[in-house]
Amino acid sequence: MKIIDILNDIANRNEVPLKIKWRNKIWEYNSRNQDYYASNGDALFESVAMIRIFDFITDEVEIIED
């Protein structure tokens, strides 16, 4: 799954994975903020500011199931 797919699902109010792995970190979804957070408090979609947007949205993520 790509990050753009997750963003589309959030925008369309579809279900999204609760946990994903991206760039060797596990990110957990917070539905209130509509963002994923790492254990150190980093917000996934806020990280876009440091990365070129087109590289970021086409990145593949691994879905983590409990």
Side-chain angles (χ1 to χ4, degrees), residues 20-27 62:
I20 60 173
K21 184 175 182 179
W22 177 71
R23 294 199 174 177
N24 297 318
K25 288 184 185 177
I26 303 297
W27 302 82
E62 177 183 343

Side-chain angles (χ1 to χ4, degrees), residues 5-47:
D5 299 324
I6 293 173
L7 288 169
N8 282 329
D9 285 342
I10 291 170
N12 293 318
R13 300 187 188 274
N14 296 330
E15 276 189 50
V16 295
L18 297 179
K19 287 184 182 180
I20 60 173
K21 184 175 182 179
W22 177 71
R23 294 199 174 177
N24 297 318
K25 288 184 185 177
I26 303 297
W27 302 82
E28 293 190 46
Y29 187 66
N30 179 305
S31 59
R32 188 169 68 154
N33 297 337
Q34 296 184 326
D35 205 342
Y36 285 86
Y37 291 88
S39 60
N40 65 357
D42 287 347
L44 179 65
F45 300 135
E46 288 178 11
S47 300

